Amino acid sequence: MITIKDLHASIEGKPILKGLNLTVKAGEIHAIMGPNGAGKSTLASVLAGREEYEITQGDVNFNGVDLLPLSVEERAREGLFLAFQYPVEIPGVSNINFLRTALNEIREHKGEKGISAKDFMSLVREKSALVELDSKLASRSVNEGFSGGEKKRNEIFQMAMLNPILSILDETDSGLDIDALRIVANGVNQLKTDQNATIIITHYQRLLDYIIPDFVHVLYDGKIVKSGGKDLALELEEKGYDWIKNNTPN
Amino acid sequence: MANYTEDDLAKELKDQEYKFGFVSDIDTDTIPIGLNEDIVRLISSKKEEPQWMLDYRLNALAIWSTMNEPSWAHVKYKKPDFQSIAYYSAPKQTKKYESWDDVDPEMKATMTKLGISMEEQQRLTGVAVDFVMDSVSVATSFKEKLGELGIIFCSFSDAVQNHPELVKKYMGSVVPTQDNYYATLNAAVFTDGSFCYIPKGVRCPMELSTYFRINAGGTGQFERTLVIADEGSYVSYLEGCTAPQRDENQLHAAVVELIALENAEIKYSTVQNWYPGDKNGLGGIFNFVTKRGVCEKNAKISWTQVETGSAVTWKYPSCILKGDNSVGEFYSVAVTNNYQQADTGTKMIHLGKNTKSTIISKGISAGKSQNSYRGLVQIHKNAHNARNFSQCDSLLMSSECGAHTFPYIECKNSSAKIEHEATTSKIGEDQLFYCKQRGISEEKAIGLIVNGYCKEVLNQLPMEFAVEAQKLLTISLEGSVG
Ligand SMILES: Nc1ncnc2c1ncn2[C@@H]1O[C@H](COP(=O)(O)OP(=O)(O)OP(=O)(O)O)[C@@H](O)[C@H]1O
Ligand SMILES: [Mg+2]
């Protein structure tokens, strides 16, 4: 699915990712944990193709294609989806119009015809039910005036609508109440197939009670410094990051 | 301008060229350039006008020759040489068009290129269209159907011939001859335009629409529009504008007068897309327009405009809220790109009691353009309980453009409530990235974001116009983020 090799990236001349390696196969769920400022969101942004970051070394193979030369929208159309840590508001643009535009761009890329209004609306109904998103939110402006939790839920709704092959969830659990957490996790689990994969960035092992990861990685100072099964999350919770820091040769 | 680099040039070369920049090959009858009494007489005689109309023009010319061109707007341009303009240019056709079939095929082709497709519009949308090319009105459809309701919708010249009592009574009643430099000039040399009268109690069943186009080179366009909604009537009137691409600057100085009598409502929408000049600021239309309406008791006038064109725009559609309980609205989107300059806004003059006005202005600046909002809210001493709400938002697409807001408030009645809100924002890299991450191209993303930003205004436009306006916004801003 995705193979990241020796990835180095910097912003404004400051190196953030410093030789990161990660392989995710179809059908897998990976969790990435790590202290604030370690570079988790940077990794997500770099994979999504945000232009501010400079890739200084390394390569990324996504589903058989060389990812790094592709533009942001090409990556998205190839099936890469990022659920934002801070979803953006777009005043005056309805969620529905936004998603229909996105969906049609993706379909066009695949050589498919645009979706009819009727099919689109039934897809909206089906997928908003999946994340128990109030149908009123679907027709409101993208994220405008949404509560923090609603924004996060909207991200998963969009993911369900666009049906990506690799989803990167950047702290989708933060700011969710217990019920919302369960709903979001439930949505992610239902969308899981053996054709797609998910990378979950989180600080809390709590989410991993609902979404069982196949692998847990610790990202520290721009590198994956430790990988393991889901027990690693529990161990981290217990011992804190000092345990990692003290065991990482500098 | 000083730090203009090769990179900037390269970026701008990517910009969309003006889509309507073709010249139609139609024989025109153009009179010699220059402006003097003889020219005014010549225009009047070409149009076979009655004496009173000629007198009106000559009076205007006399006043104009004593006036100076205003220089207070936030725009800079090379003053037009009024002696090098031809003030009359008409497609060379001696006879009037009685039916659509009579219209010159070349002219029909022009309209098709403009994307108007009159036939289709007539059939599908039921829009009655009056098309003014250069200076003469060429086709008015749906006349008969409207005639049954007593609605008059015709070219201004026809109105002068056939409805002189209405023209005499209302022409200049809202924008007097001596009003301002360009309005006075217009009063002297105007060549055609649209006229519309809705009788008492009649609700006009379709949108009335006029397209203006400047075609011949070296000409100016000076049209007048007069819309009269008699007591208790309603009309929605649309106006669209285009011009071919030329290196010279062309002058457009129009006058629009709206009269809403007691309990009447006029909705006036414009999508203005005059040639804005090229990426280096060469050529383009100077658009100096006076638009004003007067509301009698309980009447309402609503201006909606989407402005993407012209090299220099100077325009303030205004409402005189004369009658008690009358309502004025102004919804505007003004886009400037490259070297365009716009100084636009509105004036709301509250004279009557309980009068209400709303101003929603959305400015979008890109490239090296300058976009100014200039608005005046005036509450006179007898205007008890007058209310105004103004909201002026500016969106910046680049770091080299400018947005300016000049709100003026003059209040002589302490019971008035006036609210003003203003925001300036830069198009968000975050918003663009978010859209692109969902697979949406930059072009479409800009279209979405900008149209979302303008939604309150676009929502005021009739359906077909709103779609056209959305496309125009997207086209005029393509490749402009930076
Ligand atoms: N635009 C920027 N300019 C300078 N430094 C930046 C910029 N963006 C991110 N950084 C720095 O990069 C480092 C990694 O940030 P990143 O957001 O990837 O961390 P994170 O692991 O997601 O942290 P958190 O857990 O707080 O979300 C931080 O030190 C941050 O300050
Ligand atoms: Mg982060």
Side-chain angles (χ1 to χ4, degrees), chain A residues 1-2 4 20 22-25 28-33 40 43-44 47 80-83 159 165-172 188 196-202 207 211 215 217 219 224:
Chain A
M1 170 76 57
I2 193 162
I4 304 169
L20 188 140
L22 180 67
T23 300
V24 176
K25 296 202 181 72
E28 292 177 348
I29 295 178
H30 290 237
I32 296 181
M33 306 182 80
K40 302 182 296 297
L43 173 65
L47 293 179
L80 190 142
F81 181 92
L82 174 61
M159 170 181 149
I165 56 176
L166 175 66
S167 304
I168 304 166
L169 276 47
D170 192 357
E171 297 198 27
T172 301
V188 172
N196 61 24
T198 311
I199 297 175
I200 295 172
I201 296 171
T202 182
L207 176 69
I211 305 174
F215 298 94
H217 309 276
L219 203 165
I224 303 281

mmCIF file of all heavy atoms in Angstrom, chain A residues 1-2 4 20 22-25 28-33 40 43-44 47 80-83 159 165-172 188 196-202 207 211 215 217 219 224:
data_model
loop_
_atom_site.group_PDB
_atom_site.id
_atom_site.type_symbol
_atom_site.label_atom_id
_atom_site.label_comp_id
_atom_site.label_asym_id
_atom_site.label_seq_id
_atom_site.Cartn_x
_atom_site.Cartn_y
_atom_site.Cartn_z
ATOM 1 N N MET A 1 0.829 -1.213 0.000
ATOM 2 C CA MET A 1 0.000 0.000 0.000
ATOM 3 C C MET A 1 0.864 1.264 0.000
ATOM 4 O O MET A 1 0.875 2.029 -0.930
ATOM 5 C CB MET A 1 -0.903 -0.014 1.245
ATOM 6 C CG MET A 1 -1.638 1.263 1.515
ATOM 7 S SD MET A 1 -3.033 1.549 0.452
ATOM 8 C CE MET A 1 -4.018 0.103 0.705
ATOM 9 N N ILE A 2 1.617 1.426 1.107
ATOM 10 C CA ILE A 2 2.534 2.572 1.120
ATOM 11 C C ILE A 2 3.855 2.175 1.769
ATOM 12 O O ILE A 2 3.876 1.468 2.787
ATOM 13 C CB ILE A 2 1.905 3.803 1.817
ATOM 14 C CG1 ILE A 2 2.729 5.071 1.536
ATOM 15 C CG2 ILE A 2 1.749 3.581 3.312
ATOM 16 C CD1 ILE A 2 1.989 6.359 1.810
ATOM 17 N N ILE A 4 7.384 3.978 2.912
ATOM 18 C CA ILE A 4 8.118 5.231 3.113
ATOM 19 C C ILE A 4 9.550 4.863 3.459
ATOM 20 O O ILE A 4 9.792 4.099 4.404
ATOM 21 C CB ILE A 4 7.502 6.040 4.275
ATOM 22 C CG1 ILE A 4 6.010 6.293 4.009
ATOM 23 C CG2 ILE A 4 8.243 7.354 4.485
ATOM 24 C CD1 ILE A 4 5.257 6.838 5.206
ATOM 25 N N LEU A 20 12.677 8.789 8.147
ATOM 26 C CA LEU A 20 11.550 8.000 8.628
ATOM 27 C C LEU A 20 11.267 6.827 7.691
ATOM 28 O O LEU A 20 11.246 6.979 6.475
ATOM 29 C CB LEU A 20 10.326 8.916 8.736
ATOM 30 C CG LEU A 20 9.085 8.328 9.400
ATOM 31 C CD1 LEU A 20 8.428 9.374 10.281
ATOM 32 C CD2 LEU A 20 8.103 7.795 8.378
ATOM 33 N N LEU A 22 8.545 3.524 7.078
ATOM 34 C CA LEU A 22 7.275 2.927 7.489
ATOM 35 C C LEU A 22 6.667 2.196 6.308
ATOM 36 O O LEU A 22 6.679 2.696 5.177
ATOM 37 C CB LEU A 22 6.316 4.027 7.969
ATOM 38 C CG LEU A 22 4.931 3.578 8.446
ATOM 39 C CD1 LEU A 22 5.038 2.760 9.732
ATOM 40 C CD2 LEU A 22 4.035 4.795 8.688
ATOM 41 N N THR A 23 6.160 0.995 6.572
ATOM 42 C CA THR A 23 5.467 0.247 5.529
ATOM 43 C C THR A 23 4.093 -0.153 6.033
ATOM 44 O O THR A 23 3.966 -0.686 7.131
ATOM 45 C CB THR A 23 6.259 -1.013 5.137
ATOM 46 O OG1 THR A 23 7.539 -0.598 4.660
ATOM 47 C CG2 THR A 23 5.557 -1.780 4.023
ATOM 48 N N VAL A 24 3.079 0.149 5.242
ATOM 49 C CA VAL A 24 1.711 -0.213 5.602
ATOM 50 C C VAL A 24 1.139 -1.037 4.463
ATOM 51 O O VAL A 24 1.228 -0.639 3.300
ATOM 52 C CB VAL A 24 0.846 1.055 5.822
ATOM 53 C CG1 VAL A 24 -0.597 0.673 6.091
ATOM 54 C CG2 VAL A 24 1.401 1.893 6.971
ATOM 55 N N LYS A 25 0.561 -2.200 4.815
ATOM 56 C CA LYS A 25 -0.010 -3.057 3.774
ATOM 57 C C LYS A 25 -1.527 -2.939 3.758
ATOM 58 O O LYS A 25 -2.134 -2.528 4.754
ATOM 59 C CB LYS A 25 0.374 -4.514 4.046
ATOM 60 C CG LYS A 25 1.872 -4.784 3.973
ATOM 61 C CD LYS A 25 2.115 -6.274 3.716
ATOM 62 C CE LYS A 25 3.600 -6.584 3.674
ATOM 63 N NZ LYS A 25 4.221 -6.518 5.038
ATOM 64 N N GLU A 28 -4.465 -3.237 6.732
ATOM 65 C CA GLU A 28 -3.876 -3.009 8.054
ATOM 66 C C GLU A 28 -4.285 -1.662 8.652
ATOM 67 O O GLU A 28 -4.589 -0.719 7.930
ATOM 68 C CB GLU A 28 -2.342 -3.020 7.962
ATOM 69 C CG GLU A 28 -1.775 -4.383 7.621
ATOM 70 C CD GLU A 28 -0.243 -4.359 7.466
ATOM 71 O OE1 GLU A 28 0.360 -3.254 7.404
ATOM 72 O OE2 GLU A 28 0.336 -5.446 7.408
ATOM 73 N N ILE A 29 -4.244 -1.644 9.983
ATOM 74 C CA ILE A 29 -4.411 -0.379 10.696
ATOM 75 C C ILE A 29 -3.149 -0.136 11.516
ATOM 76 O O ILE A 29 -2.719 -1.006 12.281
ATOM 77 C CB ILE A 29 -5.640 -0.424 11.635
ATOM 78 C CG1 ILE A 29 -6.924 -0.560 10.800
ATOM 79 C CG2 ILE A 29 -5.702 0.829 12.503
ATOM 80 C CD1 ILE A 29 -8.188 -0.663 11.630
ATOM 81 N N HIS A 30 -2.546 1.024 11.304
ATOM 82 C CA HIS A 30 -1.344 1.388 12.048
ATOM 83 C C HIS A 30 -1.635 2.588 12.925
ATOM 84 O O HIS A 30 -2.321 3.513 12.488
ATOM 85 C CB HIS A 30 -0.205 1.758 11.095
ATOM 86 C CG HIS A 30 0.348 0.585 10.347
ATOM 87 N ND1 HIS A 30 1.674 0.238 10.400
ATOM 88 C CD2 HIS A 30 -0.253 -0.327 9.530
ATOM 89 C CE1 HIS A 30 1.874 -0.838 9.644
ATOM 90 N NE2 HIS A 30 0.720 -1.201 9.099
ATOM 91 N N ALA A 31 -1.122 2.560 14.138
ATOM 92 C CA ALA A 31 -1.247 3.733 14.995
ATOM 93 C C ALA A 31 0.122 4.370 15.142
ATOM 94 O O ALA A 31 1.130 3.669 15.260
ATOM 95 C CB ALA A 31 -1.792 3.328 16.356
ATOM 96 N N ILE A 32 0.147 5.714 15.066
ATOM 97 C CA ILE A 32 1.404 6.418 15.315
ATOM 98 C C ILE A 32 1.207 7.294 16.539
ATOM 99 O O ILE A 32 0.262 8.080 16.615
ATOM 100 C CB ILE A 32 1.824 7.277 14.105
ATOM 101 C CG1 ILE A 32 2.117 6.369 12.905
ATOM 102 C CG2 ILE A 32 3.052 8.132 14.441
ATOM 103 C CD1 ILE A 32 2.569 7.101 11.665
ATOM 104 N N MET A 33 2.083 7.119 17.511
ATOM 105 C CA MET A 33 2.024 7.924 18.728
ATOM 106 C C MET A 33 3.341 8.646 18.863
ATOM 107 O O MET A 33 4.298 8.375 18.152
ATOM 108 C CB MET A 33 1.746 7.029 19.940
ATOM 109 C CG MET A 33 0.495 6.177 19.743
ATOM 110 S SD MET A 33 0.069 5.139 21.145
ATOM 111 C CE MET A 33 -0.748 6.287 22.226
ATOM 112 N N LYS A 40 4.468 14.259 13.816
ATOM 113 C CA LYS A 40 3.373 13.400 13.350
ATOM 114 C C LYS A 40 2.520 14.107 12.289
ATOM 115 O O LYS A 40 2.258 13.567 11.215
ATOM 116 C CB LYS A 40 2.490 12.985 14.548
ATOM 117 C CG LYS A 40 3.265 12.251 15.648
ATOM 118 C CD LYS A 40 2.380 11.815 16.786
ATOM 119 C CE LYS A 40 1.741 12.970 17.548
ATOM 120 N NZ LYS A 40 2.697 13.880 18.225
ATOM 121 N N LEU A 43 4.397 14.535 9.103
ATOM 122 C CA LEU A 43 4.379 13.339 8.265
ATOM 123 C C LEU A 43 3.079 13.289 7.450
ATOM 124 O O LEU A 43 3.102 13.051 6.237
ATOM 125 C CB LEU A 43 4.503 12.084 9.139
ATOM 126 C CG LEU A 43 4.331 10.746 8.400
ATOM 127 C CD1 LEU A 43 5.455 10.542 7.379
ATOM 128 C CD2 LEU A 43 4.290 9.567 9.377
ATOM 129 N N ALA A 44 1.967 13.563 8.131
ATOM 130 C CA ALA A 44 0.679 13.540 7.435
ATOM 131 C C ALA A 44 0.658 14.584 6.312
ATOM 132 O O ALA A 44 0.249 14.297 5.184
ATOM 133 C CB ALA A 44 -0.453 13.801 8.427
ATOM 134 N N LEU A 47 2.927 13.597 3.375
ATOM 135 C CA LEU A 47 2.322 12.553 2.538
ATOM 136 C C LEU A 47 1.193 13.125 1.686
ATOM 137 O O LEU A 47 1.011 12.748 0.536
ATOM 138 C CB LEU A 47 1.801 11.401 3.404
ATOM 139 C CG LEU A 47 2.873 10.574 4.125
ATOM 140 C CD1 LEU A 47 2.227 9.480 4.964
ATOM 141 C CD2 LEU A 47 3.880 9.974 3.124
ATOM 142 N N LEU A 80 -5.596 8.877 -1.487
ATOM 143 C CA LEU A 80 -5.015 9.210 -0.199
ATOM 144 C C LEU A 80 -5.893 10.259 0.480
ATOM 145 O O LEU A 80 -6.234 11.272 -0.117
ATOM 146 C CB LEU A 80 -3.592 9.734 -0.405
ATOM 147 C CG LEU A 80 -2.745 9.915 0.855
ATOM 148 C CD1 LEU A 80 -1.308 9.501 0.557
ATOM 149 C CD2 LEU A 80 -2.775 11.338 1.336
ATOM 150 N N PHE A 81 -6.268 9.972 1.706
ATOM 151 C CA PHE A 81 -7.175 10.874 2.412
ATOM 152 C C PHE A 81 -6.579 11.270 3.745
ATOM 153 O O PHE A 81 -6.045 10.441 4.478
ATOM 154 C CB PHE A 81 -8.527 10.183 2.655
ATOM 155 C CG PHE A 81 -9.535 11.036 3.360
ATOM 156 C CD1 PHE A 81 -10.440 11.811 2.634
ATOM 157 C CD2 PHE A 81 -9.596 11.073 4.755
ATOM 158 C CE1 PHE A 81 -11.372 12.607 3.288
ATOM 159 C CE2 PHE A 81 -10.528 11.873 5.404
ATOM 160 C CZ PHE A 81 -11.418 12.640 4.669
ATOM 161 N N LEU A 82 -6.662 12.554 4.051
ATOM 162 C CA LEU A 82 -6.165 13.042 5.331
ATOM 163 C C LEU A 82 -7.320 13.630 6.132
ATOM 164 O O LEU A 82 -7.999 14.551 5.669
ATOM 165 C CB LEU A 82 -5.095 14.122 5.071
ATOM 166 C CG LEU A 82 -4.540 14.878 6.278
ATOM 167 C CD1 LEU A 82 -3.867 13.927 7.260
ATOM 168 C CD2 LEU A 82 -3.527 15.930 5.810
ATOM 169 N N ALA A 83 -7.579 13.060 7.301
ATOM 170 C CA ALA A 83 -8.543 13.668 8.219
ATOM 171 C C ALA A 83 -7.747 14.650 9.059
ATOM 172 O O ALA A 83 -6.813 14.263 9.762
ATOM 173 C CB ALA A 83 -9.201 12.607 9.088
ATOM 174 N N MET A 159 -14.546 11.047 4.605
ATOM 175 C CA MET A 159 -13.769 9.852 4.294
ATOM 176 C C MET A 159 -14.705 8.746 3.782
ATOM 177 O O MET A 159 -14.411 8.088 2.776
ATOM 178 C CB MET A 159 -13.029 9.420 5.569
ATOM 179 C CG MET A 159 -12.367 8.081 5.512
ATOM 180 S SD MET A 159 -11.579 7.768 7.132
ATOM 181 C CE MET A 159 -11.721 5.993 7.173
ATOM 182 N N ILE A 165 -8.257 4.750 -0.370
ATOM 183 C CA ILE A 165 -7.603 3.481 -0.064
ATOM 184 C C ILE A 165 -6.632 3.618 1.102
ATOM 185 O O ILE A 165 -6.381 2.666 1.814
ATOM 186 C CB ILE A 165 -6.936 2.830 -1.297
ATOM 187 C CG1 ILE A 165 -5.949 3.767 -1.958
ATOM 188 C CG2 ILE A 165 -7.972 2.360 -2.296
ATOM 189 C CD1 ILE A 165 -5.216 3.103 -3.105
ATOM 190 N N LEU A 166 -6.113 4.829 1.312
ATOM 191 C CA LEU A 166 -5.312 5.036 2.518
ATOM 192 C C LEU A 166 -5.813 6.283 3.234
ATOM 193 O O LEU A 166 -5.842 7.362 2.664
ATOM 194 C CB LEU A 166 -3.819 5.216 2.180
ATOM 195 C CG LEU A 166 -2.927 5.552 3.385
ATOM 196 C CD1 LEU A 166 -2.855 4.392 4.371
ATOM 197 C CD2 LEU A 166 -1.528 5.956 2.944
ATOM 198 N N SER A 167 -6.221 6.090 4.496
ATOM 199 C CA SER A 167 -6.684 7.229 5.276
ATOM 200 C C SER A 167 -5.700 7.498 6.390
ATOM 201 O O SER A 167 -5.250 6.571 7.063
ATOM 202 C CB SER A 167 -8.045 6.935 5.902
ATOM 203 O OG SER A 167 -8.963 6.585 4.901
ATOM 204 N N ILE A 168 -5.375 8.788 6.551
ATOM 205 C CA ILE A 168 -4.513 9.173 7.660
ATOM 206 C C ILE A 168 -5.354 10.042 8.577
ATOM 207 O O ILE A 168 -5.860 11.085 8.166
ATOM 208 C CB ILE A 168 -3.287 9.974 7.151
ATOM 209 C CG1 ILE A 168 -2.524 9.147 6.106
ATOM 210 C CG2 ILE A 168 -2.387 10.367 8.316
ATOM 211 C CD1 ILE A 168 -1.513 9.944 5.306
ATOM 212 N N LEU A 169 -5.550 9.559 9.799
ATOM 213 C CA LEU A 169 -6.399 10.282 10.744
ATOM 214 C C LEU A 169 -5.518 10.990 11.755
ATOM 215 O O LEU A 169 -4.899 10.334 12.599
ATOM 216 C CB LEU A 169 -7.338 9.301 11.466
ATOM 217 C CG LEU A 169 -8.657 8.906 10.782
ATOM 218 C CD1 LEU A 169 -8.465 8.538 9.331
ATOM 219 C CD2 LEU A 169 -9.315 7.754 11.539
ATOM 220 N N ASP A 170 -5.437 12.320 11.651
ATOM 221 C CA ASP A 170 -4.558 13.067 12.531
ATOM 222 C C ASP A 170 -5.326 13.539 13.763
ATOM 223 O O ASP A 170 -6.074 14.505 13.709
ATOM 224 C CB ASP A 170 -3.951 14.261 11.785
ATOM 225 C CG ASP A 170 -2.805 14.901 12.562
ATOM 226 O OD1 ASP A 170 -2.516 14.453 13.692
ATOM 227 O OD2 ASP A 170 -2.202 15.858 12.038
ATOM 228 N N GLU A 171 -5.136 12.847 14.869
ATOM 229 C CA GLU A 171 -5.797 13.179 16.135
ATOM 230 C C GLU A 171 -7.292 13.401 15.979
ATOM 231 O O GLU A 171 -7.847 14.359 16.491
ATOM 232 C CB GLU A 171 -5.142 14.411 16.770
ATOM 233 C CG GLU A 171 -3.696 14.113 17.121
ATOM 234 C CD GLU A 171 -3.123 15.105 18.119
ATOM 235 O OE1 GLU A 171 -3.898 15.670 18.903
ATOM 236 O OE2 GLU A 171 -1.898 15.285 18.094
ATOM 237 N N THR A 172 -7.913 12.494 15.238
ATOM 238 C CA THR A 172 -9.354 12.593 15.054
ATOM 239 C C THR A 172 -10.076 12.401 16.379
ATOM 240 O O THR A 172 -11.180 12.887 16.575
ATOM 241 C CB THR A 172 -9.801 11.539 14.020
ATOM 242 O OG1 THR A 172 -9.096 11.798 12.816
ATOM 243 C CG2 THR A 172 -11.289 11.613 13.741
ATOM 244 N N VAL A 188 -14.964 4.099 11.384
ATOM 245 C CA VAL A 188 -13.682 3.673 10.822
ATOM 246 C C VAL A 188 -13.650 2.150 10.664
ATOM 247 O O VAL A 188 -13.237 1.630 9.622
ATOM 248 C CB VAL A 188 -12.511 4.163 11.700
ATOM 249 C CG1 VAL A 188 -11.188 3.567 11.227
ATOM 250 C CG2 VAL A 188 -12.446 5.689 11.699
ATOM 251 N N ASN A 196 -8.176 -1.572 1.816
ATOM 252 C CA ASN A 196 -7.707 -0.248 2.231
ATOM 253 C C ASN A 196 -6.916 -0.336 3.532
ATOM 254 O O ASN A 196 -6.812 -1.397 4.152
ATOM 255 C CB ASN A 196 -8.883 0.738 2.339
ATOM 256 C CG ASN A 196 -9.919 0.314 3.370
ATOM 257 O OD1 ASN A 196 -9.607 -0.423 4.301
ATOM 258 N ND2 ASN A 196 -11.134 0.793 3.191
ATOM 259 N N ALA A 197 -6.348 0.803 3.897
ATOM 260 C CA ALA A 197 -5.534 0.831 5.109
ATOM 261 C C ALA A 197 -5.726 2.162 5.816
ATOM 262 O O ALA A 197 -6.183 3.127 5.213
ATOM 263 C CB ALA A 197 -4.066 0.642 4.746
ATOM 264 N N THR A 198 -5.393 2.167 7.109
ATOM 265 C CA THR A 198 -5.593 3.375 7.903
ATOM 266 C C THR A 198 -4.370 3.629 8.770
ATOM 267 O O THR A 198 -3.812 2.689 9.357
ATOM 268 C CB THR A 198 -6.823 3.198 8.833
ATOM 269 O OG1 THR A 198 -7.915 2.700 8.060
ATOM 270 C CG2 THR A 198 -7.225 4.511 9.479
ATOM 271 N N ILE A 199 -3.966 4.905 8.811
ATOM 272 C CA ILE A 199 -2.923 5.299 9.759
ATOM 273 C C ILE A 199 -3.585 6.237 10.753
ATOM 274 O O ILE A 199 -4.164 7.254 10.363
ATOM 275 C CB ILE A 199 -1.753 6.022 9.052
ATOM 276 C CG1 ILE A 199 -1.055 5.083 8.056
ATOM 277 C CG2 ILE A 199 -0.757 6.559 10.078
ATOM 278 C CD1 ILE A 199 0.038 5.751 7.225
ATOM 279 N N ILE A 200 -3.519 5.873 12.026
ATOM 280 C CA ILE A 200 -4.166 6.685 13.046
ATOM 281 C C ILE A 200 -3.111 7.360 13.896
ATOM 282 O O ILE A 200 -2.273 6.690 14.510
ATOM 283 C CB ILE A 200 -5.057 5.793 13.944
ATOM 284 C CG1 ILE A 200 -6.192 5.210 13.106
ATOM 285 C CG2 ILE A 200 -5.614 6.584 15.111
ATOM 286 C CD1 ILE A 200 -7.001 4.183 13.854
ATOM 287 N N ILE A 201 -3.141 8.688 13.887
ATOM 288 C CA ILE A 201 -2.225 9.423 14.756
ATOM 289 C C ILE A 201 -3.000 9.778 16.012
ATOM 290 O O ILE A 201 -4.084 10.361 15.931
ATOM 291 C CB ILE A 201 -1.735 10.708 14.047
ATOM 292 C CG1 ILE A 201 -0.906 10.343 12.799
ATOM 293 C CG2 ILE A 201 -0.928 11.578 15.006
ATOM 294 C CD1 ILE A 201 -0.563 11.512 11.902
ATOM 295 N N THR A 202 -2.480 9.403 17.156
ATOM 296 C CA THR A 202 -3.220 9.692 18.385
ATOM 297 C C THR A 202 -2.289 9.815 19.579
ATOM 298 O O THR A 202 -1.149 9.356 19.557
ATOM 299 C CB THR A 202 -4.281 8.597 18.669
ATOM 300 O OG1 THR A 202 -5.004 8.957 19.846
ATOM 301 C CG2 THR A 202 -3.635 7.247 18.887
ATOM 302 N N LEU A 207 -8.526 5.448 22.245
ATOM 303 C CA LEU A 207 -9.085 5.217 20.911
ATOM 304 C C LEU A 207 -8.787 3.796 20.441
ATOM 305 O O LEU A 207 -9.582 3.163 19.754
ATOM 306 C CB LEU A 207 -8.510 6.228 19.906
ATOM 307 C CG LEU A 207 -8.937 6.044 18.443
ATOM 308 C CD1 LEU A 207 -10.420 6.374 18.271
ATOM 309 C CD2 LEU A 207 -8.105 6.906 17.509
ATOM 310 N N ILE A 211 -10.607 0.975 18.105
ATOM 311 C CA ILE A 211 -10.039 0.583 16.818
ATOM 312 C C ILE A 211 -8.764 -0.189 17.132
ATOM 313 O O ILE A 211 -7.781 0.381 17.611
ATOM 314 C CB ILE A 211 -9.682 1.811 15.953
ATOM 315 C CG1 ILE A 211 -10.900 2.727 15.781
ATOM 316 C CG2 ILE A 211 -9.148 1.371 14.597
ATOM 317 C CD1 ILE A 211 -10.585 4.027 15.064
ATOM 318 N N PHE A 215 -0.472 -2.529 14.195
ATOM 319 C CA PHE A 215 0.858 -2.084 14.628
ATOM 320 C C PHE A 215 0.762 -0.745 15.324
ATOM 321 O O PHE A 215 -0.085 0.077 14.979
ATOM 322 C CB PHE A 215 1.810 -1.928 13.431
ATOM 323 C CG PHE A 215 2.056 -3.210 12.700
ATOM 324 C CD1 PHE A 215 1.280 -3.553 11.592
ATOM 325 C CD2 PHE A 215 3.058 -4.080 13.129
ATOM 326 C CE1 PHE A 215 1.506 -4.744 10.920
ATOM 327 C CE2 PHE A 215 3.278 -5.279 12.455
ATOM 328 C CZ PHE A 215 2.504 -5.610 11.343
ATOM 329 N N HIS A 217 3.390 2.474 16.327
ATOM 330 C CA HIS A 217 4.738 3.017 16.146
ATOM 331 C C HIS A 217 4.903 4.241 17.027
ATOM 332 O O HIS A 217 3.948 4.984 17.239
ATOM 333 C CB HIS A 217 4.967 3.450 14.698
ATOM 334 C CG HIS A 217 4.613 2.402 13.696
ATOM 335 N ND1 HIS A 217 5.477 1.399 13.338
ATOM 336 C CD2 HIS A 217 3.469 2.195 12.994
ATOM 337 C CE1 HIS A 217 4.889 0.612 12.430
ATOM 338 N NE2 HIS A 217 3.661 1.084 12.210
ATOM 339 N N LEU A 219 6.742 7.762 17.104
ATOM 340 C CA LEU A 219 7.506 8.731 16.317
ATOM 341 C C LEU A 219 8.133 9.704 17.293
ATOM 342 O O LEU A 219 7.436 10.306 18.121
ATOM 343 C CB LEU A 219 6.553 9.460 15.356
ATOM 344 C CG LEU A 219 7.154 10.091 14.092
ATOM 345 C CD1 LEU A 219 6.057 10.436 13.108
ATOM 346 C CD2 LEU A 219 7.997 11.292 14.375
ATOM 347 N N ILE A 224 10.749 6.980 13.308
ATOM 348 C CA ILE A 224 10.048 5.938 14.045
ATOM 349 C C ILE A 224 11.100 5.254 14.916
ATOM 350 O O ILE A 224 12.052 4.667 14.391
ATOM 351 C CB ILE A 224 9.417 4.889 13.089
ATOM 352 C CG1 ILE A 224 8.465 5.564 12.102
ATOM 353 C CG2 ILE A 224 8.752 3.758 13.881
ATOM 354 C CD1 ILE A 224 7.109 5.920 12.623
#
